[in-house]
Amino acid sequence: MSRADRFLHGRKTLVRGCSSTVGCFVFKPSFKKRKISVPIEDYFSKGKNESEDNKLRFETYHLLWQQMKSETEQLQEELNKNLFDSLIEFLRKSHSGFHKSSDWGCQIKLREIPTAALILGVNVTDHDLIFRSLTEAIQSNVTQYVVSLKAKDCPDIKHFLQKFVTQLTDCRGDVKSKEEESVQVTQKKTHCSMDSLTTWYKTITKKTGPKMPSKKRITSSQWHSPPVVLILKDMESFSTKVLQDFIIISSQHLHEFPLILIFGIATSPIIIHRLLPHAVSSLLCIELFQSLSCKEHLTTILDKLLLTTQFPFKISEKVLQVLTNIFLYHDFSIQNFIKGLQLSLLEHFYSQPLSVLCCSLPEAKRRINFLSVNQCEDIRRLPSFRRYVEKQASEKQVALLTSERILKVETQSLLENLHVYHLNYFLVLRCLHNFTSSLPKYPLGRQIRELYCACLEKNIWDSEEYGSALQLLRMLAKDELMNILKKCYKVFNSSEKQLGSTVKKIEEFLAEFQNLDDAKEEEDSSGSQSKGFQKTDLYHLQKSLLEMKELRRTSKKQTKFEILREKVVNFIDCLVREYLLPPETQPLHEVVYFSAAHTLREHLNASPRIALHTALNNPYYYLKNEALKSEEGCIPNIAPDICIAYKLHLECSRLINLVDWSEAFATVVTAAEQMDGNATTSEERNEIIHARFIRAVSELELLGFIRPTKQKTDHVARLTWGGC
């Protein structure tokens, strides 16, 4: 059957059976692969906001991001340290148990494989980084024989053992002898099994004798037979049969091959018992290890990167909401949150010409002296600076709008005030969080990021939640208030130069609480209680309690503690109203704050429907080919076939006639070929056009725009969003 006959047969089948996947032919494109070789710094000079300091802005961005990245990596290392230390201690103890087999209990335990169940949470995208760091820690502290496997690489026990053997024989980083190399090559070529792997392990370790420890910690060189650690990164995804077979086989060779397992678990440890029957799980000696919660990790990241004056870059409330919503409702990924923060930083330096001043305060003051006339005009055009100028006297307004020298001096002063504002802002924010984080129902949020978002959005004291929090604060006990004040004292005392009077005031409150003598008031209250409880029957007792409650409610006399507590609450309220002003109230806040949440949402929030429609309806948007430009409503005849078929299908109703659709497609395509003047016969041209049409229809069906229908044999049903 010729190619044309096959095509015609496929087309008849398409019309008769309403299947757009039969008779589809693929033609390889002739264009070359596109290479992107434009350096990233060039985008700053090719953007919509061109200025003379593009290179300096990019260098400032790069330096600032490297500092933030270094701080993040160091923080993650500190957060994982406790978990890694516990795991390493478990590995050492487990391996030492292999050599102590004198009593019957140890003999029984020797048949169990030491297993660490590592609960990492559902943030699967962060697991690779954790396992990479864990592998490095184990190799430097316990053993160099560490293997990591994923479920997708191990569909059966054969591939499992092959991957295991291949990675294990590549673990030796020292210089190998010829004998070891020959054994390793032979091992890879022969059939992979636990017997051959055990033989290789004996050969590798037989010449390694115990050495005197040069350090206090135990290393793999001190052991005659170092353990082999196998990490299963995604334990839930492994086949039950593969796990069962490997565990049973490994347990039989455990006396010769000291294996230790680490299960990476994203959900719950109960998955071990769901995947493995009791006969298999009894061969494991399991110990649980829990990593830090994703939310706690996020709070720590925000605390180190945003709630500090160490880095000048800040984000607005809407941008922070976009990042946290993606984190909380999509992936719980810290790495993706950090990438979103990096994108915000890049967009800020790309879109804001004055971001050149988003650096350390001394460097910003130095750069202000070298600002050009255009950059001075950019400062004058800032909305926050214009509001600031309107509040000044008329003479100063004229000077700021006409004199570059006075403008630069004032800009230096405003940037310094902005720095001081942030110092005080974060101190008072932490203090308020200490007061409100333990209140019932958490009116201002349990995490500091929730309180931070509320303060960024508007005046926090105008919200109902703030009023509810103050009412609850007026009901705190003495011990609770003193503990909170001690925490606030540590917060304010950490900054010696800022809010010194506040530190003294808190010290006075603590001293007054300590010297408070409520003995007389307690005697009065106990006397009134004993007087009310003289009646023994239930009716009179209840009546006395109601009378006491009404008396306390109507009494206007406050105790000394209540008066002092009211002073503390009023003092905190004054601090909040004075220092927790929204950033929009500060002049030049645009220099350091990124607020284009819509831009960030376009990049990070996946919208496949909009992207597909845009790509098919207007291919120029993504391809950037000038020939694809067309007026609205027109169909360019040189557009990709799927774009032509898509735009034609938009003009159809719910059911699309394939014959009419094919003729319309041919009409558009042949218009382009007539312009090109191709010297092909009409029959050949029709065959090629029909093949292209069938391929385009098949692609649309694959994307979910159409589907076969049984209502009419030569029609397909349109599956448009919104239903028409």
Side-chain angles (χ1 to χ4, degrees):
M1 186 182 290
S2 65
R3 180 179 178 183
D5 293 337
R6 289 197 304 270
F7 165 73
L8 293 174
H9 174 73
R11 184 167 179 262
K12 291 176 182 177
T13 307
L14 170 68
V15 176
R16 184 171 59 251
C18 299
S19 171
S20 57
T21 58
V22 182
C24 175
F25 302 96
V26 178
F27 298 91
K28 283 189 175 181
S30 59
F31 55 84
K32 295 182 180 180
K33 192 173 182 180
R34 185 183 176 191
K35 291 181 67 177
I36 300 176
S37 58
V38 181
I40 186 174
E41 56 268 21
D42 289 356
Y43 285 101
F44 276 73
S45 59
K46 294 182 180 180
K48 57 184 178 181
N49 293 312
E50 297 184 9
S51 62
E52 60 271 19
D53 59 349
N54 293 322
K55 186 177 180 181
L56 180 59
R57 274 194 289 146
F58 175 77
E59 291 174 352
T60 306
Y61 151 76
H62 186 69
L63 177 61
L64 183 56
W65 172 243
Q66 290 301 321
Q67 294 173 353
M68 297 175 72
K69 183 180 178 182
S70 176
E71 181 72 19
T72 304
E73 291 174 351
Q74 182 180 355
L75 176 62
Q76 291 178 331
E77 203 173 301
E78 294 174 358
L79 293 176
N80 291 328
K81 185 178 183 302
N82 293 334
L83 176 65
F84 290 174
D85 290 346
S86 302
L87 274 169
I88 289 172
E89 186 66 23
F90 167 77
L91 296 177
R92 288 174 176 169
K93 289 181 179 179
S94 301
H95 184 66
S96 62
F98 285 113
H99 305 287
K100 299 177 182 179
S101 55
S102 57
D103 58 348
W104 180 82
C106 291
Q107 289 286 349
I108 294 298
K109 192 172 182 179
L110 197 59
R111 302 175 188 174
E112 299 178 350
I113 304 175
T115 305
L118 184 56
I119 314 299
L120 296 175
V122 294
N123 53 329
V124 181
T125 52
D126 295 340
H127 291 184
D128 284 338
L129 179 63
I130 296 175
F131 283 123
R132 197 180 309 126
S133 303
L134 177 60
T135 301
E136 294 174 357
I138 295 175
Q139 288 178 338
S140 60
N141 292 279
V142 181
T143 176
Q144 60 183 335
Y145 300 110
V146 184
V147 177
S148 298
L149 296 180
K150 286 187 174 181
K152 66 178 182 180
D153 300 327
C154 309
D156 50 40
I157 190 64
K158 177 183 176 181
H159 289 85
F160 189 102
L161 289 175
Q162 284 179 352
K163 289 288 183 181
F164 184 34
V165 171
T166 303
Q167 290 192 35
L168 185 59
T169 52
D170 291 338
C171 283
R172 288 184 61 81
D174 53 349
V175 180
K176 305 178 182 68
S177 64
K178 293 183 179 180
E179 181 183 355
E180 292 174 349
E181 289 180 354
S182 63
V183 171
Q184 180 173 334
V185 173
T186 305
Q187 174 65 35
K188 289 184 178 180
K189 290 182 179 179
T190 57
H191 176 68
C192 297
S193 64
M194 287 301 296
D195 292 330
S196 58
L197 189 58
T198 302
T199 304
W200 171 85
Y201 181 79
K202 287 181 179 179
T203 306
I204 292 297
T205 58
K206 67 180 180 180
K207 291 192 279 186
T208 306
K211 300 180 181 180
M212 294 300 293
S214 57
K215 298 181 180 180
K216 291 184 178 181
R217 70 179 186 182
I218 300 175
T219 60
S220 59
S221 61
Q222 298 171 231
W223 284 324
H224 178 70
S225 55
V228 176
V229 179
L230 174 60
I231 302 175
L232 304 182
K233 293 184 175 181
D234 46 351
M235 196 255 186
E236 292 99 333
S237 302
F238 275 88
S239 169
T240 303
K241 189 175 185 306
V242 172
L243 289 176
Q244 291 182 21
D245 292 345
F246 178 75
I247 292 172
I248 293 173
I249 296 171
S250 301
S251 64
Q252 297 172 358
H253 296 79
L254 198 58
H255 60 286
E256 299 174 317
F257 189 74
L259 177 67
I260 302 177
L261 298 177
I262 297 180
F263 291 159
I265 300 175
T267 53
S268 171
I270 196 67
I271 192 67
I272 298 176
H273 302 286
R274 289 180 180 175
L275 291 176
L276 304 175
H278 177 72
V280 179
S281 61
S282 61
L283 299 176
L284 303 176
C285 181
I286 304 174
E287 187 169 337
L288 295 179
F289 296 89
Q290 179 72 52
S291 65
L292 186 68
S293 169
C294 301
K295 293 183 179 180
E296 294 176 3
H297 201 156
L298 175 64
T299 301
T300 310
I301 292 290
L302 286 175
D303 187 58
K304 292 294 183 181
L305 297 184
L306 295 179
L307 304 182
T308 177
T309 55
Q310 180 182 356
F311 306 109
F313 174 71
K314 300 290 180 288
I315 56 179
S316 68
E317 180 266 339
K318 291 184 178 179
V319 174
L320 184 58
Q321 283 287 2
V322 170
L323 293 177
T324 53
N325 286 345
I326 293 175
F327 175 85
L328 294 173
Y329 301 114
H330 288 78
D331 52 15
F332 286 102
S333 174
I334 295 295
Q335 296 304 312
N336 289 346
F337 180 86
I338 294 173
K339 288 179 182 178
L341 196 60
Q342 181 186 8
L343 179 60
S344 303
L345 181 67
L346 181 61
E347 282 289 339
H348 178 65
F349 277 90
Y350 174 75
S351 59
Q352 176 57 264
L354 292 176
S355 59
V356 68
L357 303 179
C358 184
C359 54
S360 62
L361 184 60
E363 177 64 18
K365 287 184 175 181
R366 188 190 68 81
R367 292 182 181 183
I368 288 174
N369 296 324
F370 300 98
L371 291 180
S372 63
V373 176
N374 292 333
Q375 289 172 323
C376 291
E377 289 300 321
D378 289 338
I379 293 177
R380 293 187 177 108
R381 283 193 288 266
L382 291 177
S384 63
F385 185 78
R386 293 170 63 181
R387 290 194 297 268
Y388 172 77
V389 172
E390 291 173 358
K391 297 177 182 178
Q392 307 303 313
S394 57
E395 296 179 358
K396 190 172 183 179
Q397 289 182 4
V398 174
L400 290 173
L401 297 176
T402 57
S403 174
E404 274 72 21
R405 183 184 62 82
I406 296 177
L407 176 66
K408 292 177 180 179
V409 173
E410 192 68 19
T411 303
Q412 290 178 340
S413 175
L414 291 176
L415 281 183
E416 187 172 356
N417 293 341
L418 186 62
H419 180 74
V420 174
Y421 160 80
H422 283 132
L423 283 174
N424 297 334
Y425 187 96
F426 295 130
L427 290 175
V428 177
L429 182 71
R430 296 179 196 280
C431 177
L432 180 61
H433 176 65
N434 287 333
F435 272 93
T436 60
S437 59
S438 58
L439 295 178
K441 297 185 179 181
Y442 311 105
L444 292 178
R446 189 173 185 178
Q447 305 290 340
I448 193 171
R449 58 176 169 78
E450 299 173 280
L451 178 61
Y452 183 46
C453 282
C455 294
L456 288 176
E457 184 180 9
K458 59 181 180 181
N459 294 332
I460 186 66
W461 54 87
D462 292 336
S463 64
E464 296 181 1
E465 294 80 6
Y466 181 78
S468 302
L470 290 187
Q471 290 180 0
L472 292 173
L473 288 178
R474 292 186 173 95
M475 300 172 63
L476 290 178
K478 175 184 173 182
D479 294 339
E480 293 175 320
L481 266 179
M482 289 189 67
N483 291 333
I484 295 174
L485 285 173
K486 288 177 181 177
K487 292 179 182 178
C488 294
Y489 177 78
K490 291 180 181 179
V491 170
F492 288 113
N493 203 32
S494 62
S495 179
E496 300 178 357
K497 298 181 180 180
Q498 299 298 322
L499 302 176
S501 59
T502 304
V503 176
K504 294 180 180 178
K505 191 68 175 178
I506 293 177
E507 287 179 343
E508 294 177 3
F509 283 138
L510 287 172
E512 290 184 29
F513 275 118
Q514 290 175 355
N515 298 330
L516 197 60
D517 186 10
D518 293 333
K520 185 176 180 181
E521 298 172 8
E522 291 177 0
E523 290 177 1
D524 295 339
S525 61
S526 63
S528 61
Q529 288 180 5
S530 61
K531 183 179 179 180
F533 297 156
Q534 290 175 0
K535 303 292 183 180
T536 55
D537 75 80
L538 186 61
Y539 171 77
H540 289 91
L541 178 61
Q542 186 177 10
K543 184 178 179 181
S544 301
L545 289 173
L546 291 174
E547 290 176 355
M548 289 170 57
K549 183 179 179 181
E550 184 67 19
L551 182 63
R552 289 176 182 175
R553 189 178 67 83
T554 56
S555 178
K556 296 182 179 180
K557 184 180 180 182
Q558 290 182 317
T559 63
K560 292 181 180 180
F561 166 69
E562 291 174 342
I563 295 174
L564 185 56
R565 182 175 59 187
E566 186 69 23
K567 288 182 180 179
V568 172
V569 174
N570 292 337
F571 173 72
I572 296 301
D573 185 37
C574 292
L575 285 179
V576 169
R577 293 175 182 271
E578 183 176 358
Y579 295 109
L580 288 188
L581 295 169
E584 287 78 9
T585 61
Q586 305 302 310
L588 302 184
H589 73 273
E590 297 94 341
V591 173
V592 296
Y593 276 86
F594 175 69
S595 57
H598 62 282
T599 304
L600 195 66
R601 193 180 292 108
E602 288 178 0
H603 290 293
L604 298 181
N605 264 4
S607 302
R609 296 180 178 181
I610 299 175
L612 272 177
H613 175 76
T614 304
L616 296 176
N617 193 48
N618 182 20
Y620 171 78
Y621 185 84
Y622 291 107
L623 299 179
K624 302 301 181 185
N625 188 340
E626 295 295 330
L628 294 175
K629 278 189 173 181
S630 63
E631 298 180 2
E632 187 176 356
C634 298
I635 303 177
N637 46 27
I638 60 172
D641 292 343
I642 188 174
C643 298
I644 297 175
Y646 176 78
K647 297 194 75 170
L648 289 172
H649 116 285
L650 291 179
E651 301 175 359
C652 300
S653 58
R654 187 177 63 86
L655 292 179
I656 305 175
N657 190 316
L658 285 171
V659 177
D660 296 341
W661 194 6
S662 175
E663 292 178 356
F665 180 86
T667 302
V668 175
V669 173
T670 51
E673 292 186 354
Q674 290 173 2
M675 294 174 61
D676 294 340
N678 293 332
T680 57
T681 63
S682 59
E683 184 178 352
E684 292 177 353
R685 184 171 64 247
N686 290 337
E687 290 180 2
I688 295 174
I689 292 175
H690 287 314
R692 289 168 58 184
F693 171 72
I694 294 173
R695 182 181 62 178
V697 172
S698 301
E699 291 172 348
L700 289 177
E701 181 182 358
L702 181 65
L703 292 173
F705 290 99
I706 59 174
R707 71 176 179 185
T709 178
K710 294 182 180 180
Q711 296 182 13
K712 292 186 179 181
T713 56
D714 57 347
H715 286 64
V716 291
R718 179 181 173 187
L719 303 175
T720 51
W721 295 306
C724 68

